[in-house]
C-alpha cells in the first residue's frame, strides 16, 4: 500500500534559485557499486558496533575521505571522534537452582532484564499466573503461560512469536512481582516456546549505552527490573518437571557484568566558500555499523548490512566527492555514526558532543538504507507532522526529488501510527530531539533486512545513484540558501 504526498509536492518553492550548477556528475553509479562491493563484502564481517570489524570499516571510510581531500574534524586532527560503549548483561556464570535441579543460564533458562539478584526462597505453583488468590509473597512463583493471542501482524525484524514471548514475560512477570513474588519462572506455551532461543540470544547480549554521565540506556532489554525480582523463561518441555519442583527451595544468583569498549564516529568537512555562511554546516549523516557475525542462516553467518547501511556509507562518499569538486556557500559536514544498531549510540554521542557547535548545524540529512525495493518509490522521513520539524528543509528535499530521483514518496512510513516506528530508528533522531531540522532518506524495509542475506549483490545501484543525487542536491540547496531552515515552532514528537 502506498500513499502519495500530492499536497506537499506542489508546495511553494521558497528557497532562492541557484546560479551555479552543482557537481551532480561527481555522483557516479560505478563509484557507489565499487565502494559497496568493498564495505559490504564478507571481509568486513558485518561491522558490528564496538568490534574490530567496525573499526576496520571506519579506517577504510576515513582513508577514502582523506583521498577525496576532506578536512579531518575528529580528535587530535584525525577523522575519528572516539567514545566508549558501556555494555551491561547478566553473566553466563549466574546460577539458578530449584531443589536439586540446576538450570544452565541461557541454555535451559533465560532471564528478562539485566539486574543482579540473590534470591533464596521456596517456590510456589502459581497456575497461569493470573489467580490473585494464590499467595506468592516472598516466593519464587512458577507459572504456566496460557496462550492468548498473537500480537498484530506487522513488518518487523522480530517474529510474532518473539514479540509474543516478550510481551508475556512483561505482563505476567509484572503481575506476579507486583503481588510480591521474589522471582518468577514462566513456562513457555507452544507459541513462546518457538521463540525461546531468540529470547535467550537477545537477552544474553544485554544492553548498550554511551559510556558517559547522564547517557540514556539503549539496546535490546526491557526494564532492568532493579526494584523487582527477576523474571525467567523456561521451555515448554520443562512443564512436567517444573510442576514436581514447585514447593522446593530455589537458589538464584544473578551476577551482572558491565564493561566498556570503543566505538567511533568518523567526521570530515568540506569548508564553505561564503565568508558569512561558512561557519554553518549541512550535516550529512549515516552509520557504518551493522550486526556482525551471528548465527547461521542457510549457510551464511555474516550479516553484511549492504543496504543497512553500506548504501548510506557509500552515498556519503559520493556526496563528499561532489562537495569537494564544488563547495557550497555553507560547509558540508559528513558524520558516520558508530553503533547505530546498538541504539543510535554514535548519534546520541555526537548530537550532545558535536565537533562543531550544534547551533551551527543548519540541517541533518540522514542516509539510511537506500538501495532496495521498487525503483520508482522511496520515503522521506520527517516530511509530515508530528515528525516534520522544518518547512524549508522539507521543501528543499521535495524540490530536489523533483529534479533528481523523481520518486513517488510513500508517506505511510513517516506516520505516527506506522507499526514500525521507522522515524525513531535512525541517526537523525537525536538531532531532531535537539531541535535541529532533520530528515531521513530511505527505501524502507525488505525481506533481507537484518539477515545474512543483505548482500551487495542485491542492491539496485541505479536506484541508489538517484537516491544519492537526491540526498546531495537537497544538501546543496540548503548549503546555498540565503537563510538557514527554521524549526517549526512548537515541534514536538509523539514520543
Ligand atoms: Zn540502519
Amino acid at each position: 500500500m502506498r500513499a502519495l504526498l500530492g499536497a506537499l509536492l506542489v508546495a511553494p518553492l521558497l528557497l532562492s534559485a541557484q546560479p551555479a550548477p552543482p557537481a551532480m556528475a561527481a555522483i557516479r553509479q560505478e563509484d557507489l557499486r565499487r565502494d559497496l562491493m568493498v564495505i559490504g563484502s564478507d571481509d568486513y564481517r558485518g561491522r558490528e558496533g564496538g568490534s574490530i570489524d567496525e573499526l576496520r570499516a571506519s579506517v577504510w571510510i576515513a582513508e577514502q575521505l582523506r583521498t577525496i581531500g576532506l578536512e579531518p574534524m575528529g580528535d587530535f586532527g584525525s577523522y575519528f571522534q572516539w567514545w566508549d560503549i558501556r555494555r551491561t548483561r547478566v553473566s553466563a556464570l549466574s546460577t539458578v537452582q530449584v531443589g536439586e535441579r540446576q538450570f544452565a543460564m541461557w541454555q535451559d533458562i533465560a532471564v528478562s532484564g539485566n539486574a543482579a539478584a540473590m534470591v533464596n526462597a521456596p517456590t510456589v505453583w502459581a497456575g497461569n499466573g493470573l489467580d490473585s488468590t494464590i499467595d506468592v509473597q516472598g516466593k519464587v512463583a512458577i507459572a504456566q503461560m496460557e496462550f492468548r493471542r498473537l500480537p498484530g501482524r506487522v513488518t518487523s525484524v522480530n517474529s510474532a512469536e518473539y514479540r509474543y514471548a516478550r510481551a508475556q514475560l512483561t505482563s505476567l512477570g509484572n503481575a506476579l512481582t507486583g503481588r510480591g513474588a521474589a522471582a518468577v519462572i514462566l513456562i513457555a506455551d507452544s507459541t513462546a516456546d518457538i521463540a525461546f532461543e531468540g529470547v535467550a540470544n537477545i537477552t544474553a547480549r544485554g544492553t548498550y549505552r554511551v559510556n558517559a554521565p547522564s547517557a540514556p540506556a539503549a539496546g535490546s532489554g526491557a526494564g532492568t527490573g532493579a526494584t523487582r525480582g527477576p523474571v525467567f523463561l523456561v521451555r515448554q518441555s520443562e512443564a512436567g518437571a517444573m510442576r514436581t519442583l514447585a514447593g522446593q527451595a530455589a537458589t538464584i544468583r544473578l551476577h551482572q557484568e558491565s564493561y566498556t569498549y570503543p566505538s567511533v564516529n568518523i567526521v570530515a568537512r568540506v569548508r564553505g566558500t561564503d565568508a558569512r555562511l561558512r561557519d554553518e554546516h549541512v550535516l550529512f549523516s549515516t552509520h557504518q555499523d551493522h550486526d556482525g557475525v551471528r548465527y547461521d542462516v542457510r549457510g551464511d553467518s555474516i550479516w553484511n548490512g549492504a543496504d543497512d547501511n553500506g548504501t548510506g556509507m557509500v552515498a556519503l562518499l559520493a556526496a563528499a566527492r561532489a562537495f569537494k569538486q564544488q563547495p557550497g556557500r555553507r560547509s558540508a559536514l559528513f558524520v558516520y555514526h558508530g553503533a547505530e544498531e546498538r541504539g543510535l549510540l554514535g548519534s546520541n554521542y555526537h548530537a550532545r558532543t558535536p565537533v562543531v557547535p550544534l547551533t551551527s548545524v543548519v540541517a541533518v540529512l540522514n542516509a539510511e538504507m537506500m538501495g532496495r525495493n521498487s525503483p520508482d518509490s522511496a520515503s522521506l522521513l520527517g516530511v509530515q507532522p508530528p515528525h516534520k520539524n522544518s518547512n524549508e528543509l522539507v521543501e528543499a528535499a521535495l524540490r530536489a526529488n523533483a529534479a533528481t530521483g523523481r520518486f513517488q514518496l510513500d508517506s505511510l512510513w513517516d506516520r505516527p501510527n506506522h507499526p514500525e516506528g521507522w522515524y525513531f530508528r535512525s541517526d537523525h533522531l537525536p538531532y531532531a530531539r535537539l531541535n535541529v531540522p532533520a530528515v531521513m532518506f530511505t527505501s524502507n524495509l525488505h525481506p533481507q533486512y537484518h539477515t545474512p542475506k543483505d548482500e551487495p549483490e542485491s542492491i539496485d545501484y541505479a536506484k541508489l545513484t538517484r537516491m544519492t543525487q537526491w540526498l546531495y542536491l537537497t544538501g546543496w540547496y540548503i548549503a546555498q540558501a540565503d537563510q538557514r531552515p527554521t524549526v517549526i515552532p512548537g515541534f514536538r514528537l509523539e514520543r
Side-chain angles (χ1 to χ4, degrees):
M1 228 184 350
R2 196 169 66 200
L4 301 181
L5 291 169
L8 287 168
L9 285 166
V10 297
L13 307 178
L14 298 181
L15 297 171
S16 58
Q18 303 310 320
M24 189 63 79
I27 292 171
R28 305 193 314 162
Q29 183 172 329
E30 61 205 86
D31 292 341
L32 293 163
R33 179 192 297 270
R34 180 200 61 224
D35 291 344
L36 191 46
M37 286 294 169
V38 174
I39 209 64
S41 74
D42 285 357
D43 290 351
Y44 285 94
R45 295 170 51 83
R47 310 181 304 273
E48 177 158 354
S51 75
I52 194 72
D53 303 314
E54 183 193 42
L55 300 187
R56 288 191 304 119
S58 300
V59 168
W60 188 84
I61 289 290
E63 181 59 15
Q64 307 312 305
L65 294 167
R66 189 188 68 76
T67 303
I68 295 166
L70 267 64
E71 176 188 3
M73 295 295 287
D75 304 341
F76 308 110
S78 76
Y79 291 99
F80 303 114
Q81 182 190 45
W82 294 99
W83 51 277
D84 283 339
I85 295 174
R86 176 167 285 273
R87 181 174 182 177
T88 302
R89 63 183 178 186
V90 168
S91 161
L93 301 176
S94 300
T95 58
V96 177
Q97 182 165 350
V98 181
E100 295 299 304
R101 172 74 194 280
Q102 293 196 10
F103 294 84
M105 183 58 60
W106 309 125
Q107 278 94 57
D108 301 336
I109 196 164
V111 64
S112 174
N114 276 334
M118 300 285 231
V119 177
N120 295 300
T123 56
V124 60
W125 181 254
N128 66 3
L130 301 174
D131 180 353
S132 61
T133 66
I134 298 174
D135 180 14
V136 299
Q137 179 71 40
K139 298 173 182 164
V140 176
I142 302 174
Q144 171 67 58
M145 284 184 186
E146 274 179 5
F147 181 71
R148 277 173 285 176
R149 60 182 176 84
L150 280 177
R153 220 190 299 176
V154 297
T155 311
S156 173
V157 60
N158 295 317
S159 68
E161 291 82 6
Y162 174 86
R163 288 178 288 121
Y164 168 81
R166 291 298 294 252
Q168 289 280 76
L169 281 168
T170 301
S171 65
L172 285 174
N174 284 346
L176 287 159
T177 55
R179 282 156 52 197
V184 177
I185 301 175
L186 295 172
I187 305 161
D189 59 33
S190 59
T191 304
D193 197 56
I194 295 167
F196 178 85
E197 279 192 32
V199 171
N201 281 339
I202 290 179
T203 52
R205 297 181 68 86
T207 57
Y208 306 79
R209 61 177 176 82
V210 175
N211 187 44
S214 79
S220 65
T224 57
T227 57
R228 287 188 170 184
V231 178
F232 297 92
L233 178 68
V234 296
R235 287 190 175 85
Q236 185 179 33
S237 57
E238 303 275 10
M242 295 308 296
R243 272 188 180 275
T244 64
L245 289 171
Q248 300 191 41
T251 305
I252 296 168
R253 299 276 177 275
L254 293 185
H255 306 290
Q256 186 190 69
E257 57 187 17
S258 187
Y259 49 95
T260 62
Y261 49 101
S263 182
V264 69
N265 297 330
I266 311 156
V267 279
R269 179 167 72 175
V270 176
R271 200 88 161 98
T273 55
D274 186 314
R276 189 175 61 85
L277 299 177
R278 65 188 314 195
D279 289 333
E280 296 182 348
H281 298 86
V282 181
L283 192 159
F284 290 87
S285 157
T286 196
H287 70 88
Q288 75 268 27
D289 68 308
H290 190 60
D291 273 349
V293 180
R294 297 201 171 189
Y295 52 87
D296 192 294
V297 180
R298 293 192 298 280
D300 192 355
S301 58
I302 296 176
W303 299 43
N304 302 65
D307 190 42
D308 184 7
N309 197 7
T311 53
M313 297 171 76
V314 301
L316 258 64
L317 290 179
R321 288 185 193 102
F323 268 93
K324 179 66 183 178
Q325 184 175 317
Q326 185 170 355
R329 296 173 70 193
R330 290 184 175 81
S331 295
L333 183 68
F334 295 85
V335 184
Y336 289 74
H337 299 99
E340 185 266 2
E341 304 284 6
R342 303 281 73 81
L344 314 186
L345 301 189
S347 51
N348 267 295
Y349 184 78
H350 185 260
R352 276 183 281 114
T353 320
V355 297
V356 297
L358 194 65
T359 52
S360 81
V361 177
V362 303
V364 171
L365 311 182
N366 186 36
E368 170 71 274
M369 300 171 60
M370 304 203 303
R372 295 294 305 274
N373 293 321
S374 163
D376 57 7
S377 69
S379 286
L380 181 69
L381 273 72
V383 75
Q384 60 194 322
H387 302 158
K388 181 182 186 180
N389 74 345
S390 171
N391 290 318
E392 295 88 350
L393 175 57
V394 166
E395 282 161 12
L398 295 177
R399 185 155 60 98
N401 179 42
T404 55
R406 297 180 176 275
F407 296 106
Q408 293 196 320
L409 297 184
D410 177 339
S411 71
L412 292 177
W413 291 79
D414 194 38
R415 293 191 183 169
N417 57 356
H418 193 285
E420 282 292 331
W422 203 220
Y423 179 86
F424 290 86
R425 289 167 52 183
S426 193
D427 291 315
H428 56 284
L429 181 67
Y431 299 97
R433 288 202 190 284
L434 294 172
N435 268 347
V436 180
V439 288
M440 162 170 145
F441 300 78
T442 181
S443 51
N444 298 325
L445 290 179
H446 48 80
Q448 289 75 39
Y449 170 75
H450 282 233
T451 77
K453 300 301 180 193
D454 180 6
E455 306 265 14
E457 290 78 12
S458 53
I459 299 300
D460 178 344
Y461 288 93
K463 178 174 185 176
L464 174 59
T465 305
R466 290 159 59 225
M467 292 288 293
T468 305
Q469 291 169 337
W470 178 26
L471 172 81
Y472 159 66
L473 189 59
T474 304
W476 174 260
Y477 287 158
I478 299 298
Q480 299 303 95
D482 291 334
Q483 303 298 324
R484 60 190 283 173
T486 57
V487 177
I488 293 171
F491 164 67
R492 195 195 156 111
L493 296 170
E494 73 272 25
R495 59 180 157 103

